[in-house]
Structures are given as C-alpha cells and as structure tokens.
Amino acid sequence: MTNAQNNYVLGLAATSLFTEPLALEHLSKSNADFGTYNVPFDQVSKLLDNKQDRDIALKEFLTMLLRAIIKESFELIKDYSDETNQSALLKGQPWFQFARVIRNCISHNFQFEFTPYDKGLLPVAWKGKTITLALDGQPLPLSLFGYVEAWELFSEFKAFAGVRLK
C-alpha cells in the first residue's frame, strides 16, 4: 500500500515538475541508460514544451497514475484478504462493490463493461457517487470518479488495511 501511495505522490510531483522551464531544459539534455539501451528524454522536453501537447500528455499521465493507485491497491487488499480468510470482511465494506466496479472499469480502458453479476448489484454508490446500469458501455466520467475520488478511495483502502485486517 505504501508503494502504491508513494508512486502516486511521485507521479503528482513529476507532473508539477513537468511544467517548470528548468525541468524541460534538464530533460532535453538527459536520458535513461539501462542494459544496452539509451533512451533520450529530449522527446519529453519537446512534448511538454507545447501547451496543447503538454495538456494531453499530462492528462494521460495522471490517468495512468489513477489506474495504478486504484488497481494495484485494490488487488493487494483483495489478495491479502483471500489469503488470510478475511474476504467476507472486505466484501462487507461499504465501498467494496463501488471500488470493484471502478477497478474493473479502469482495467478495461476506463470503460464500463458490466457482467451479469454487476448488473444484478447495480446501482452501487459511495460518497454520493452512484454507478448505474445506464453507464454500461460508457467511458468513466471524471465527474463520477476522478483524481480526488481516487485519493479518497485509496485512503479508505489504506485505513481498512491498517485497522481492520489482521
């Protein structure tokens, strides 16, 4: 859970840095070396130097962060709960079904694809946000679940894992 949180915060910090002129200058001269590969960052500098391209790139980067923090932390809690015979406790959380449907949506290119099981549970709600059958086949609206909700749901995951799980 701590790694998922750190990765999200590091990504947010990187987003902040990506708008700084000194960072763009540094990126234009930097690269990553691994194995026999050398990946120059000048393409990143050029991409971020154009406002329209930067806005698109940063939105996609933040979307990746959202996917990582929710998907990874949900799976960690689910796997641990399964391994320690605490699945019933997890499934009894008021956010569980909402989080499960969001995790599935995020895993399917941010598009809702309800299974027959999901359809039988809908609507599901959490913190005033409701997922209904009308969203089937639709993209996830950021007004329903965006960066704020991702952080709040992760915080619920973390609190549950730290306090309720043995």
Side-chain angles (χ1 to χ4, degrees), residues 1-2 5 8 12 14 16-17 37 64 66 70 80 86 90 92 95 97 101 123 131 133 144-145 151:
M1 295 296 287
T2 300
Q5 179 178 347
Y8 192 74
L12 293 176
S16 175
L17 291 173
Y37 300 100
M64 183 259 322
L66 191 144
I70 294 303
Y80 182 81
Q86 298 180 83
L90 173 62
W95 44 261
Q97 291 300 340
V101 172
I131 299 170
L133 188 55
L144 173 67
F145 193 83
W151 186 256

Side-chain angles (χ1 to χ4, degrees), residues 64-107:
M64 183 259 322
L65 290 176
L66 191 144
R67 179 184 298 118
I69 195 167
I70 294 303
K71 189 174 172 185
E72 289 177 19
S73 56
F74 183 84
E75 292 302 318
L76 284 170
I77 291 172
K78 185 179 174 307
D79 289 349
Y80 182 81
S81 296
D82 289 347
E83 290 171 13
T84 59
N85 297 318
Q86 298 180 83
S87 294
L89 182 61
L90 173 62
K91 291 176 182 176
Q93 296 308 299
W95 44 261
F96 176 77
Q97 291 300 340
F98 183 93
R100 187 187 62 76
V101 172
I102 289 291
R103 177 249 173 251
N104 290 346
C105 174
I106 288 171
S107 297

Side-chain angles (χ1 to χ4, degrees), residues 31-41:
N31 59 294
D33 290 316
F34 51 94
T36 60
Y37 300 100
N38 175 281
V39 178
F41 295 151

Side-chain angles (χ1 to χ4, degrees), residues 19-158:
T19 61
E20 294 293 326
L22 288 176
L24 296 181
E25 183 181 328
H26 176 74
L27 288 168
S28 70
K29 300 172 187 172
S30 299
N31 59 294
D33 290 316
F34 51 94
T36 60
Y37 300 100
N38 175 281
V39 178
F41 295 151
D42 61 330
Q43 72 180 37
V44 176
S45 179
K46 290 174 188 169
L47 177 71
L48 296 175
D49 196 34
N50 176 294
K51 181 179 175 3
Q52 184 177 4
D53 291 343
R54 179 179 58 241
D55 290 348
I56 293 168
L58 292 180
K59 180 180 181 257
E60 290 300 318
F61 185 70
L62 288 166
T63 298
M64 183 259 322
L65 290 176
L66 191 144
R67 179 184 298 118
I69 195 167
I70 294 303
K71 189 174 172 185
E72 289 177 19
S73 56
F74 183 84
E75 292 302 318
L76 284 170
I77 291 172
K78 185 179 174 307
D79 289 349
Y80 182 81
S81 296
D82 289 347
E83 290 171 13
T84 59
N85 297 318
Q86 298 180 83
S87 294
L89 182 61
L90 173 62
K91 291 176 182 176
Q93 296 308 299
W95 44 261
F96 176 77
Q97 291 300 340
F98 183 93
R100 187 187 62 76
V101 172
I102 289 291
R103 177 249 173 251
N104 290 346
C105 174
I106 288 171
S107 297
H108 295 107
N109 204 24
F110 284 77
Q111 185 162 330
F112 288 103
E113 297 175 12
F114 299 133
T115 66
Y117 176 75
D118 295 333
K119 291 175 182 179
L121 293 174
L122 296 176
V124 293
W126 169 76
K127 287 197 162 198
K129 304 287 184 168
T130 304
I131 299 170
T132 66
L133 188 55
L135 289 168
D136 198 16
Q138 300 299 311
L140 174 65
L142 285 178
S143 59
L144 173 67
F145 193 83
Y147 312 114
V148 170
E149 292 82 8
W151 186 256
E152 289 175 346
L153 188 55
F154 171 78
S155 296
E156 297 240 19
F157 293 169
K158 189 172 179 182

